[in-house]
Amino acid sequence: MFHFSSSHLHLNRLQFNLIISGLSSVLFFSGWWIIADSSVQSVMAGNRLYYLPALVGTFAFFFTNIIPAHFFYDSLTYQTGCFSPNVARTYLLVCLMISFGCLIAAFYVLVNDFLLQPQNEQWPGYGVWLHNVFIFIASMLLRFARKHDPFY
């Protein structure tokens, strides 16, 4: 019934990847915009440790997406050397654990330093948490939502 050429399907895949990459970049930018907005509060200026989950989460974002997708699936990518698909999968698991740990740390900062202390303004705590949530979602979109071409 419907006949699509391979170039048409490839164009749709590229457009989908462009949309996912754009959405991920908007989320990444929004996360840093939120943390910049919440850092003008006097509570955030007093303690620089509030930025630690944000920085580690950003490094985890880059390290999660630095390895191409075919390294995880193709056992013939590197036959000589130590970087096998199992090493790539273990590397990805460690990066995902670090990303999720940053989410937990940001939630701890929100609850312990802002929600349990009502004398503090609440927005900086929500800003730290939202920043890490946006960075985590951007990382997951960029790593897992894009469609990969095995011949690319």
Side-chain angles (χ1 to χ4, degrees):
M1 281 167 96
F2 294 105
H3 182 339
F4 293 106
S5 66
S6 63
S7 64
H8 183 27
L9 290 175
H10 188 66
L11 184 64
N12 286 337
R13 180 179 296 131
L14 290 177
Q15 288 174 345
F16 180 76
N17 287 346
L18 182 66
I19 291 169
I20 291 297
S21 297
L23 182 62
S24 177
S25 64
V26 165
L27 284 170
F28 186 82
F29 172 78
S30 298
W32 275 103
W33 188 269
I34 287 171
I35 198 88
D37 181 54
S38 63
S39 68
V40 298
Q41 304 295 329
S42 62
V43 177
M44 289 287 287
N47 194 351
R48 298 291 181 200
L49 288 177
Y50 292 145
Y51 300 105
L52 191 61
L55 292 174
V56 174
T58 300
F59 284 123
F61 170 82
F62 288 119
F63 289 136
T64 300
N65 294 299
I66 202 167
I67 297 179
H70 66 87
F71 281 18
F72 300 109
Y73 309 114
D74 188 14
S75 62
L76 301 175
T77 302
Y78 288 109
Q79 291 181 348
T80 60
C82 63
F83 201 75
S84 67
N86 289 335
V87 173
R89 291 176 193 139
T90 304
Y91 174 81
L92 180 65
L93 178 68
V94 169
C95 289
L96 293 177
M97 288 173 29
I98 291 171
S99 295
F100 196 69
C102 291
L103 277 178
I104 293 170
F107 189 72
Y108 175 78
V109 165
L110 169 65
V111 171
N112 190 49
D113 293 348
F114 293 97
L115 294 181
L116 293 179
Q117 297 179 6
Q119 70 271 15
N120 290 342
E121 188 173 345
Q122 304 296 310
W123 168 240
Y126 285 112
V128 170
W129 182 71
L130 281 174
H131 171 265
N132 283 285
V133 167
F134 283 179
I135 297 295
F136 183 77
I137 292 171
S139 179
M140 295 303 108
L141 277 176
L142 204 58
R143 175 81 270 165
F144 298 114
R146 289 184 301 165
K147 295 179 181 177
H148 301 285
D149 190 3
F151 302 109
Y152 181 62

